[in-house]
Amino acid sequence: MENKYLAKFDINGCREITLVKGVHYNTDDEHQAYIDGGYIPITDEDYQHYIGNRGTGDNGTGYVRDPKTGKPVSAPPAPPVEVTEEPTANVPETELAVMEGMVDMQSRIAVLEAELAKLKGGK
């Protein structure tokens, strides 16, 4: 039993589950049972790629297992998000009027405060 990590990957090479020696298994028989169940031994360095400790890959989407080499490779880019319509603010007229009134009131208060400061001898 050499590797302390065993991982299971989906058909796209994405890591689904990782098992750690001393936590999930201890004996050679337990190790072999996981191997028989489809788990693959991976190195500590490979594990660090899969969990994101070596960056997010060339496309910013992490790493997947290359089925030919068995090594981590940059995951494909995320698919583009299709926007079917332009998002718009849907604020009711009454709320919009209240907000505009508040902004107008704040500017009037600022003018009054400036006038008051002048009357008190300020600038």
Side-chain angles (χ1 to χ4, degrees):
M1 184 172 19
E2 301 168 0
N3 295 65
K4 67 178 186 176
Y5 295 108
L6 296 175
K8 193 173 258 191
F9 298 88
D10 68 13
I11 60 170
N12 298 313
C14 296
R15 181 181 61 91
E16 293 181 318
I17 301 171
T18 301
L19 304 176
V20 182
K21 179 182 176 183
V23 176
H24 301 102
Y25 65 93
N26 290 305
T27 67
D28 288 339
D29 289 339
E30 291 172 327
H31 179 263
Q32 189 58 50
Y34 283 120
I35 297 291
D36 294 344
Y39 285 83
I40 299 168
I42 60 172
T43 66
D44 180 60
E45 185 60 25
D46 290 352
Y47 176 71
Q48 297 305 316
H49 276 83
Y50 294 129
I51 65 170
N53 285 345
R54 300 294 184 258
T56 57
D58 296 337
N59 300 305
T61 53
Y63 291 88
V64 295
R65 183 175 186 271
D66 183 324
K68 293 178 183 174
T69 66
K71 301 307 277 177
V73 294
S74 293
V81 176
E82 290 187 34
V83 178
T84 56
E85 60 183 61
E86 188 69 29
T88 58
N90 194 9
V91 180
E93 291 291 324
T94 53
E95 287 184 38
L96 189 57
V98 168
M99 289 180 204
E100 288 172 344
M102 289 171 61
V103 169
D104 185 49
M105 185 61 70
Q106 288 174 341
S107 64
R108 288 182 184 187
I109 290 172
V111 168
L112 290 172
E113 286 175 338
E115 287 297 319
L116 181 62
K118 284 182 190 175
L119 292 172
K120 289 183 175 181
K123 294 183 178 181

